[in-house]
Amino acid sequence: MKEANKPETVHKHEHHHHHNNLRGEKLLWATLLNLSITIVQIVGGVVSNSLSLLSDALHNLGDSSAIFIAFVAGKISRKKPDAQKTFGYKRVEILAALFNGIVLIAICIFLFYEAFQRFANPQPIKGKLMLIVATFGLLANLISVILLHNDKAQNLNVRAAYMHLLGDTLSSVAVIAGGAAIWFWNVCWLDPLITVLVGVYIIWHTWGIVKETVDILMQAVPNNIDLDEIKKQVEQIDGVADIHHLHVWKLDDSQVHLEAHLNLKKDVNMTEMMAVRKNAERLLSEKFGIKHITLQTGYNCCGGNNNLINSF
């Protein structure tokens, strides 16, 4: 029977591998499209003297980085752990996302300063050129959104990239509206105003990413995990006295790990102890979605220091 099922298993593996490669190609094309938008908008922003085009170029540059990170992460995530990196290489994307977010916020603050200078000293802007360049940006963003639309529900990184591109599309619409208004009515104060609005949007969107990456690197408890609820549920398992020295953290944006001491009500043999631990692991997996579980099981362990959180 095992031999009969083997071809089907191989077929599924090959299909999964092919799907990952196809997803990677889409991410790479989306990256190249966004880089082309960035180059065109930087040139167009300088020539037209439009600060909002430059800020939109910044947004696209940041999102190109985010999409490329998703592409590289897909490659790196398949690399196996080794003797030096026993957890593997999954946190590379977290470090890159943190760096990307900090740089984006820093440049936005600089653009706010430039926008303030433009409010104080308005400068002539070529609205027609601004409109043409922003329209190119909108079309390229729409193509990228269509490319990733079908994969957004299957992968967290792709979903994040998709949301970035959706934000780019909205900001391109704002710059197009501003370019049209400047071209027809010469209301040049709209340019720094759009710059500020796009910058606020970027910071609002990026701050959540920075906070999440810092939480992951600090091994904070994920927002959807309640330690007190874990304690309550586990201590209802037959044979468990208490659970203590509990730590829950995320290795990356999806993998949740847990380690704890499981104190039993009585001194039992190894088979009974394994059965209790198995029940605890099943509960943690099914009710809390925690798949990577390490439980140190014992009787009257830790010398009465049974605090839920251990002070090192």
Side-chain angles (χ1 to χ4, degrees):
M1 288 296 291
K2 286 183 179 178
E3 289 298 319
N5 288 333
K6 191 174 179 181
E8 184 181 350
T9 304
V10 172
H11 176 72
K12 285 181 179 177
H13 177 74
E14 288 176 351
H15 175 75
H16 182 69
H17 182 70
H18 173 73
H19 187 72
N20 282 339
N21 286 340
L22 187 61
R23 182 188 295 157
E25 287 175 11
K26 289 179 180 179
L27 285 168
L28 194 55
W29 275 110
T31 302
L32 293 173
L33 273 170
N34 266 259
L35 281 175
S36 71
I37 299 169
T38 302
I39 293 167
V40 170
Q41 286 186 326
I42 288 173
V43 174
V46 171
V47 173
S48 67
N49 201 28
S50 170
L51 192 62
S52 62
L53 259 184
L54 290 173
S55 65
D56 201 34
L58 160 70
H59 196 184
N60 279 300
L61 180 61
D63 289 347
S64 298
S65 302
I67 299 165
F68 189 67
I69 285 168
F71 170 72
V72 173
K75 298 287 186 183
I76 295 176
S77 64
R78 293 195 285 272
K79 190 174 179 181
K80 293 180 179 179
D82 53 44
Q84 287 295 316
K85 306 287 190 301
T86 57
F87 276 106
Y89 295 80
K90 296 181 181 299
R91 280 199 172 171
V92 169
E93 62 179 312
I94 303 300
L95 291 168
L98 177 61
F99 174 78
N100 184 43
I102 290 172
V103 170
L104 269 175
I105 290 172
I107 298 175
C108 280
I109 292 170
F110 171 74
L111 285 172
F112 288 157
Y113 171 77
E114 289 294 314
F116 176 76
Q117 297 296 318
R118 288 288 181 96
F119 275 123
N121 301 292
Q123 297 181 22
I125 296 164
K126 296 177 182 177
K128 184 178 180 181
L129 179 60
M130 177 182 169
L131 178 63
I132 292 169
V133 173
T135 302
F136 169 78
L138 176 63
L139 292 174
N141 274 317
L142 282 174
I143 293 170
S144 297
V145 165
I146 292 167
L147 268 176
L148 299 184
H149 179 76
N150 290 333
D151 292 303
K152 73 180 190 297
Q154 300 170 21
N155 183 275
L156 185 61
N157 280 322
V158 176
R159 198 180 313 149
Y162 180 85
M163 292 308 296
H164 275 290
L165 290 168
L166 212 55
D168 283 342
T169 305
L170 294 173
S171 63
S172 292
V173 170
V175 176
I176 287 171
I182 291 167
W183 183 22
F184 289 113
W185 299 296
N186 199 32
V187 282
C188 292
W189 55 266
L190 269 178
D191 183 63
L193 177 62
I194 292 169
T195 301
V196 171
L197 293 175
V198 171
V200 168
Y201 171 80
I202 294 171
I203 290 177
W204 175 77
H205 188 78
T206 306
W207 182 251
I209 295 171
V210 170
K211 184 178 181 302
E212 185 176 354
T213 55
V214 169
D215 281 346
I216 290 172
L217 294 172
M218 288 293 293
Q219 295 183 295
V221 177
N223 291 331
N224 62 325
I225 299 290
D226 185 341
L227 295 188
D228 290 325
E229 186 62 25
I230 287 178
K231 177 179 171 65
K232 177 184 172 184
Q233 293 280 339
V234 170
E235 290 179 358
Q236 288 177 2
I237 296 172
D238 188 34
V240 174
D242 63 75
I243 184 171
H244 57 273
H245 296 185
L246 177 62
H247 300 280
V248 183
W249 72 97
K250 293 174 82 172
L251 179 63
D252 56 12
D253 56 2
S254 59
Q255 286 193 32
V256 180
H257 288 242
L258 177 146
E259 65 175 32
H261 291 182
L262 197 63
N263 195 22
L264 303 185
K265 288 181 178 178
K266 57 184 180 180
D267 193 3
V268 296
N269 61 39
M270 182 66 74
T271 303
E272 291 174 297
M273 182 194 77
M274 292 294 290
V276 174
R277 191 169 75 181
K278 193 81 172 175
N279 288 336
E281 289 173 349
R282 188 183 299 112
L283 170 75
L284 292 166
S285 175
E286 293 177 357
K287 289 210 170 184
F288 298 94
I290 303 171
K291 306 299 181 184
H292 302 269
I293 302 163
T294 304
L295 294 173
Q296 180 179 321
T297 311
Y299 171 65
N300 281 340
C301 53
C302 298
N305 180 16
N306 295 342
N307 295 325
L308 183 63
I309 309 299
N310 186 30
S311 298
F312 292 100

